Structure formats: C-alpha cells, structure tokens
Amino acid sequence: MSGRPDILFPLFAELTGLDGVGPKSAKNFAQMGVETPRDLLFTLPHSGIDRRRQATIRDVTPGDVATVEVVVGQHRPASGRGRPYRVTVQDAETGFQLVFFHARGDYLQKQLPTGQRRVVSGKIELFDGIAQMVHPDHILPPDQAAAIPEFEPVYPLTAGITLRTITRAATDAVSRAPDLAEWADPALVLREGWPDWRAALHQAHAPTSLADLTPTAPARQRLAYDELFAHQLTLALARAAARRGAAIVTEGDGRLRRKVLESLPYKPTGAQVRAVEEIAADMAQPRRMNRLLQGDVGAGKTLVAFQALLIAVESGGQGVMMAPTEILARQHLESLQPLAEEAGVVLELLTGRDKGKERQAKLAALAAGDIQILVGTHAVFQKDVVFRDLRLAIIDEQHRFGVAQRLELSAKGHGAHVLVMTATPIPRSLSLAQYGDMDVSVLDEKPPGRKPIQTALVSTGRMDEVVDHLRKAIAEGRQAYWVCPLVEESEVLDMTAAEERFKRLRAALGDDAVGLVHGQMPPADKDAAMARFVAGGTKVLVATTVIEVGVNVPNATIMVIERAETFGLAQLHQLRGRVGRGEAASTCLLMYQSPLTEGGRRRLEVLRETEDGFRIAEVDLEMRGAGDVIGTAQSGLPRFRIADLERQAALMAVAQKDARRLLLDDPDLSGPRGKAARVLLWLMEQDKAIRLISVG
C-alpha cells in the first residue's frame, strides 16, 4: 500500500490549476476548508435558482428570481452621488426598472440600447411600490439567451468567493474526476438505482430542479453512501485490528456472580441479563472483546459492569474499572464495595492522589494479584502500574475517549478484553458513526423500584415559590440540587452566577444548609463540598454542570435547573437523572425565562413528557444536528461533507453492514472490490485506515 494511487493525483493538485482560481481566491477557498480539487468535488450546491423563461414578472413574488424578455425604454442616469442609474423596461404585460449603482453610463448604453430587446434575469424587488431588478445577473440579446442555465446551482460561499468563481472552478474540478472502479456492493447500487461515482458527481453539481438537491436524490444518496462507507470501512478495519489482538480465553464458573445476585433485594432486568450474557460470550473468545455498554440514566450499568469484572476474577484474573474523574472513581468504589463484600473479592482504589508508601503498597499488591479489582482514574495507565493478570478493562463515560485512545488502551492491556460504558443514549445512526468499530449492548429497561420523576416547568418570575418549596422539603429532611445557568461559555461568569445564587439561597435557607461546587474550585474543595452533601451535612447543593455525570445521592429528591432553556436536551436529561435514585418520589423543576424560543419550548416539553433517554436523543438529533449532539470537537465524530446524519440515518447502517461484509470476504482488500475500496479510502483521506491495512 505504498502511496496515493496515480489515478487520484489530479484531484489532490493545487487549486490554482482550476479554471479562474488564482493565488488570492485559493486563499479564500481555504477559508471554506477547500484546498484541493477533491475538496471542491465534495462541496455540493445547497440550493438553486430557477431561471426558466417567463412571459412577465407580474406574478413573481418579490425576492424571487425572474427571467423575462423585455423591450428597453429610457435611461435615467444617476442624479447625484450614491444615487442609482435606472433603466425602464417593458415585458409582455408590465413595466419595471433595472437599477445599477456606481455604473458607467456609456457601458450601460451599449448593453441596453433603447428600443432593443434583451433577456434579463435577476431578483425582483419592490421599492416605493415599483418593481425593480437591481444589478441583473444576466443581460443578453434574445439570440444568445440560451446561455442562461434553466436551473443554476448555488454553492456555499465565503468572503471573496463569488458564485461565478466557485461555479467555474467546480465545473472544472468535476471534469477532472477520473473513472474509478466500483467499490459499492453491485446489488445495492442496482437496487437503489444509483449512478456510479463519477456520474453521481456530474449529476450532483448540475441539478436540474430543487428535487435534485434533496438528500434523497439518487446522486446525493450515492455520494453520501460513499462517504459513510469509507468511514465504516475505517471503523471495521479498526475493529479487525482490535480483534486480531489475541486475548486470554476468560470463562468464569459463575460462583461469585451467583453470590452477588442472591444478595440483591431485586431481580436483574431482562436487558441486564442479556448484556451480561453477551459480555461473557465475548470474553470466552480467544480474541479481544471490544464492546460498548450503552444504558440510559439509572438503567443499572453498575451491576452489569461488576458481573463482567467477576467473570475475570472467577477465571483467576483481574479487572480494572476506569472513570474520567476522581469523584466518579470514588463513586464507583462506593457502589461496588458492598457487592464486592458479598462476593468476597478484594477491591481497591487508585487515583493520582495515591503517593509514596501507600501507592507502592497498592502497586505491589496489584502485581502480586492480591487486589482482584482495581477502580481508578486514568492514573491506572501509568508506566509503573503492573497487573499480575489483567483480563478486563472497563472504561466509563466513553465520549471522553475517541477511537484512537481505544486502540491505545487495548495495546496496554496485554490481551485484556475491553468494555466501554456510556450513560449517554445516542440515536442509532450516531452510535454507528461513533462506535462503528464496537459491538453494542443496550440497557433499555429500568430496574424495578425506580420511581418516575415528576417534571414541571416554572418561570423564573416564580423564584420565591420555588425557594419556599425547598424550605418545606428541607424541613422534611430531603435534599436538593440547584443547577445554575450556563453563562456564554465562560467558566468565570458561571462561577459568579453560582456564587450569587449561593449567597441568596443561604440568606433564605440558613448558612449551614447550602453548599457550592463549580468548575473553578480546587479539586480538593470540590470533593469536600460534594462529600458534605453526600453525607447529608448540606441540604441544598448549588452547582454548575459539574454534577452532570454520575453523582449518586439517594436522599436528593429535588432538582432545580435555573434557565433550563439554555441547556441542551441530553444535558438536561443527564442532570434530571441525578434525582429519583432513592425510595422517595422525586421532582425536577425546569425554571425558564420567558419568552421562550420555539426550540427552547420544545426541548422543555419533551422532557416533561418522557424519561426515555433514547427518545430524547432522537428529538435532540432532529433539533440540533449531529455535530452538536455529540459535541463534534471532543467526540471523535467525523465531519461529513455530504452525508447528512439526520436525514440519511438509514444509510449509515447499510454502510456498516456492507463494510463488515467486505472485510469478511476480503480481509486484506486484495480482490477487485477490495482494491476499489482502497482507492476510496485514499480519496476520502482515511489515512488511519490505510495504515491499518498496511500493518495488517
């Protein structure tokens, strides 16, 4: 797999070789992320202008484009600085004006001689009740008017790039697209009636109507598919590489798992049982497990994770569970400790705070195999941490780790199986885009005994009532979270808002009753404030969103979210999931500032109607788009140029199946379709995938 195939060279040349692109416009194109002819091929028109000939502008809606044949009337040159030059014209039924600013009169006399016929095309506007066309896009004699396209594609533009520039350059780029061998499954292409890659590019860049611009147009579907297929092929190669890693066959005899289940006051849900079975089957294989455990807030991931760790211990090995923060690592320790005692296994915590002798002692116990299950932050991956026989690594809160970190982790594991957990329900199309290299287990049932959370919308004008409500609840011995609004992405302002609210609530509820945590506090202070709240010392915890993930205080039954309309749906759902963890009925008050935007209202209403995280995630995707739902920057979610994950979600699943099947039939991509797929990977700049093939 030496380097980029020759056939693709013209697409990766300098932009300046394209029609009408000089060094200056090449710089402007770079602002749009367009640096090669290939990038331009994948920059599709997003709308179009209908320039079919009409007899008159009489029925044209102002703001729309019209193309009509006119007789040129009199010229009225500009009457002063900044005033326009006007030319009166008459179409088949009505008169209007052509308007030009900073125009040269002699040039316009030549272009529009009085008494002659011309075809003009441009946007119709009303000014003082008179129809006018300012700076027509086209002015041509009738015998040359065929040069005006009936339907003109409109591309996304940036400063310094005109529609004319990008259209000329794109047309030239499309003419250079080589004829490439087919990488898609021929049966699929036939079934969907798709054109081949090159024909699809030609069609997508030369739409003949608005229908050609929709995500369902065959040419667009085809190109989107190619992009998704290249991405899924990369993930499938990563999956194959992870599975090539030999793992120790790990089968438990079930004795420890039975002890834990017998000690529980309830039966696990069907989803929990199924997930444990899937994990056990993976761990019994001689190749590495690479599985994602996806569960909604409160679906009982902890029990599944612990059962998986026990499989490792039953077979004589060790397990590790890793959390993104120290608070969460401590919480895992607290929730797992009672289960570990029932099973009779040794569980320890290792974080960045362990120093000196204490740390040495833990490391020695780990290397000797005396610690069977380790819980920690990413400190567990430091060089001096050595396991005697690590069989399973569990990572909590996946979206802090991309595909690259997953590969790195499995390299460290010396054959350990990997299970990743996330509490963020993700719609299927996105979960495939982000976790296509993994097998997925979903926990979609709530354990028995979880009470529904009452969710109410309250306007900020009723703040005093909310504070009274809290006062009564505290008197009954209950606890509450009060989440402060997000202020314009600034942690300093977030902190100020939180400190203000803290002062006002202390004044209302008493100094000892209220605690505070925010992102700017030193970690030790944050932990201390959390610990006081967990122990029941403070009754109300004022917080910025640092409590979003994982905090578990069964006695906390009230969640107040101030200016809830400024939060995303997924975030609100996560925050609400912090209550409803104990025996008592819980409430979540979403405080909003009116007037609400349409989107803000819809978000809050969806939360009021449902607690189903997957349903909420689907709505979130419809409302915000894919990049925002996962937060593209930190998610490792690819940026697709053509594929639209909201409207073409079904294509993602097809692409995944197709990619996995191709690799099954042709693992080193050496057959005819495999070779075509290699060219696709180069075309789509999937360098990671190309490295995976060359290594393999």
Side-chain angles (χ1 to χ4, degrees):
M1 193 81 196
S2 47
R4 184 184 292 138
D6 294 352
I7 194 167
L8 295 180
F9 275 22
L11 301 185
F12 287 88
E14 294 288 323
L15 262 190
T16 44
L18 292 177
D19 188 10
V21 181
K24 196 167 157 211
S25 42
K27 269 211 181 82
N28 292 330
F29 268 121
Q31 298 294 309
M32 292 171 63
V34 173
E35 292 173 6
T36 59
R38 167 219 174 260
D39 297 338
L40 203 48
L41 291 181
F42 297 139
T43 305
L44 299 187
H46 59 67
S47 62
I49 302 167
D50 188 344
R51 294 197 190 274
R52 280 176 303 199
R53 191 84 62 86
Q54 289 159 284
T56 174
I57 66 155
R58 175 170 277 169
D59 302 325
V60 174
T61 315
D64 285 356
V65 167
T67 307
V68 290
E69 186 169 325
V70 296
V71 176
V72 181
Q74 89 193 79
H75 285 236
R76 295 220 306 276
S79 54
R81 264 187 77 100
R83 309 291 290 234
Y85 187 116
R86 297 174 182 275
V87 182
T88 314
V89 295
Q90 179 77 31
D91 68 23
E93 294 182 24
T94 183
F96 60 100
Q97 294 181 343
L98 306 181
V99 179
F100 302 89
F101 288 89
H102 318 299
R104 297 205 329 272
D106 53 348
Y107 170 74
L108 288 177
Q109 293 286 354
K110 260 208 216 71
Q111 279 280 80
L112 292 156
T114 303
Q116 296 271 334
R117 292 187 162 272
R118 288 290 181 269
V119 174
V120 294
S121 183
K123 192 189 278 185
I124 298 292
E125 288 163 358
L126 277 183
F127 182 73
D128 283 347
I130 297 168
Q132 59 178 32
M133 190 183 281
V134 182
H135 291 277
D137 304 316
H138 300 275
I139 303 173
L140 289 168
D143 58 350
Q144 293 171 28
I148 300 174
E150 289 209 333
F151 189 80
E152 186 175 20
V154 176
Y155 289 88
L157 298 177
T158 185
I161 300 280
T162 63
L163 185 55
R164 197 180 151 76
T165 312
I166 191 168
T167 306
R168 272 175 71 186
T171 306
D172 190 9
V174 171
S175 73
R176 297 173 187 220
D179 211 354
L180 301 177
E182 183 59 86
W183 47 74
D185 175 10
L188 173 72
V189 175
L190 199 66
R191 190 182 77 220
E192 297 294 334
W194 285 343
D196 64 37
W197 177 73
R198 192 166 155 215
L201 278 176
H202 279 273
Q203 289 171 28
H205 283 276
T208 57
S209 70
L210 288 170
D212 290 346
L213 296 164
T214 61
T216 51
R220 293 243 170 178
Q221 284 236 303
R222 161 78 220 220
L223 295 171
Y225 177 79
D226 293 339
E227 198 171 22
L228 298 176
F229 180 58
H231 171 64
Q232 285 297 335
L233 201 51
T234 305
L235 291 176
L237 284 160
R239 176 173 182 251
R243 291 178 148 216
R244 268 203 302 274
I248 304 163
V249 170
T250 299
E251 292 184 272
D253 52 14
R255 63 199 152 84
L256 300 177
R257 279 171 284 168
R258 270 196 301 280
K259 276 188 189 169
V260 170
L261 290 179
E262 281 159 13
S263 75
L264 295 175
Y266 57 85
K267 280 175 80 107
T269 64
Q272 286 175 313
V273 173
R274 191 174 61 237
V276 174
E277 283 168 358
E278 289 168 348
I279 291 164
D282 278 358
M283 290 175 70
Q285 299 295 322
R287 52 158 199 260
R288 268 203 202 119
M289 165 167 76
N290 192 18
R291 185 169 283 280
L292 174 71
L293 176 64
Q294 196 185 16
D296 200 353
V297 177
K301 286 185 297 299
T302 308
L303 179 64
V304 173
F306 193 66
Q307 294 279 72
L309 290 164
L310 288 180
I311 296 173
V313 178
E314 287 170 356
S315 65
Q318 294 164 295
V320 62
M321 180 151 171
M322 181 176 134
T325 65
E326 188 148 335
I327 288 183
L328 280 173
R330 288 187 183 281
Q331 275 209 288
H332 281 315
L333 181 76
E334 281 158 27
S335 52
L336 297 178
Q337 199 78 60
L339 299 174
E341 280 164 15
E342 291 296 340
V345 298
V346 182
L347 177 78
E348 267 295 351
L349 176 73
L350 182 69
T351 69
R353 280 207 209 159
D354 290 304
K355 297 273 186 289
K357 281 197 176 138
E358 196 183 340
R359 180 178 162 91
Q360 287 326 113
K362 280 185 185 175
L363 295 183
L366 201 60
D370 299 337
I371 295 175
Q372 294 161 297
I373 297 176
L374 183 67
V375 174
T377 54
H378 40 245
V380 301
F381 284 133
Q382 283 160 348
K383 292 258 187 303
D384 58 347
V385 180
V386 180
F387 292 84
R388 194 186 72 116
D389 181 7
L390 178 62
R391 301 292 185 87
L392 173 67
I394 300 184
I395 309 176
D396 189 23
E397 272 316 307
Q398 161 62 26
H399 56 256
R400 312 280 194 280
F401 305 86
V403 177
Q405 284 99 325
R406 294 206 283 273
L407 285 171
E408 200 175 298
L409 169 81
S410 42
K412 169 103 188 181
H414 319 296
H417 295 282
V418 178
L419 178 69
V420 168
M421 304 200 301
T422 173
T424 317
I426 302 173
R428 180 137 190 269
S429 58
L430 289 191
S431 131
L432 288 176
Q434 206 184 2
Y435 308 121
D437 58 323
M438 307 183 84
D439 301 299
V440 183
S441 296
V442 178
L443 296 181
D444 47 11
E445 302 169 47
K446 287 261 161 81
R450 293 227 49 170
K451 299 206 168 50
I453 300 169
Q454 279 288 301
T455 301
L457 312 187
V458 189
S459 87
T460 39
R462 294 167 55 196
M463 182 82 73
D464 295 344
E465 292 174 44
V466 173
V467 175
D468 283 339
H469 179 71
L470 277 187
R471 194 177 287 115
K472 290 195 189 83
I474 291 172
E476 290 165 13
R478 290 160 56 189
Q479 285 176 278
Y481 295 97
W482 186 298
V483 178
C484 292
L486 281 170
V487 186
E488 295 305 327
E489 293 303 306
S490 149
E491 289 196 349
V492 180
L493 291 173
D494 278 350
M495 173 179 84
T496 327
E499 284 171 345
E500 274 305 296
R501 178 61 57 225
F502 172 61
K503 282 190 199 129
R504 301 214 5 217
L505 286 175
R506 278 178 74 167
L509 303 171
D511 284 0
D512 299 339
V514 188
L516 171 69
V517 283
H518 58 68
Q520 297 284 329
M521 291 164 84
D525 298 2
K526 224 188 295 191
D527 286 357
M530 291 297 306
R532 271 199 305 280
F533 184 63
V534 170
T538 42
K539 301 300 178 196
V540 177
L541 184 65
V542 174
T544 52
T545 53
V546 290
I547 60 159
E548 182 179 347
V549 183
V551 184
N552 192 11
V553 182
N555 191 42
T557 56
I558 299 170
M559 169 64 73
V560 179
I561 303 174
E562 202 178 329
R563 295 294 305 273
E565 77 278 6
T566 61
F567 292 88
L569 254 174
Q571 215 175 10
L572 288 167
H573 177 62
Q574 286 291 332
L575 287 167
R576 172 171 64 183
R578 299 298 113 221
V579 295
R581 292 171 165 253
E583 294 303 300
S586 294
T587 43
C588 173
L589 300 177
L590 301 173
M591 296 182 73
Y592 63 89
Q593 181 130 16
S594 44
L596 276 175
T597 61
E598 193 44 50
R601 167 176 290 109
R602 172 132 191 249
R603 282 202 299 278
L604 300 185
E605 283 172 352
V606 167
L607 278 161
R608 185 170 59 190
E609 283 154 25
T610 179
E611 278 188 66
D612 174 354
F614 287 93
R615 169 84 194 102
I616 287 168
E618 295 287 350
V619 175
D620 202 11
L621 178 61
E622 281 161 34
M623 289 182 66
R624 284 198 302 164
D628 298 333
V629 170
I630 307 194
T632 311
Q634 47 93 24
S635 70
L637 182 74
R639 283 250 181 239
F640 295 116
R641 276 180 185 261
I642 295 174
D644 174 332
L645 285 183
E646 293 89 271
R647 293 180 193 79
Q648 296 173 320
L651 279 180
M652 183 63 98
V654 179
Q656 185 193 54
K657 237 167 74 184
D658 216 5
R660 288 188 174 183
R661 199 168 51 229
L662 175 60
L663 276 190
L664 205 64
D665 299 344
D666 182 3
D668 50 3
L669 298 181
S670 54
R673 211 184 132 201
K675 286 187 175 134
R678 287 177 177 234
V679 173
L680 171 70
L681 290 172
W682 280 108
L683 174 67
M684 295 300 182
E685 298 184 316
Q686 295 284 350
D687 309 3
K688 276 205 288 278
I690 291 155
R691 280 203 304 280
L692 284 168
I693 305 175
S694 39
V695 171

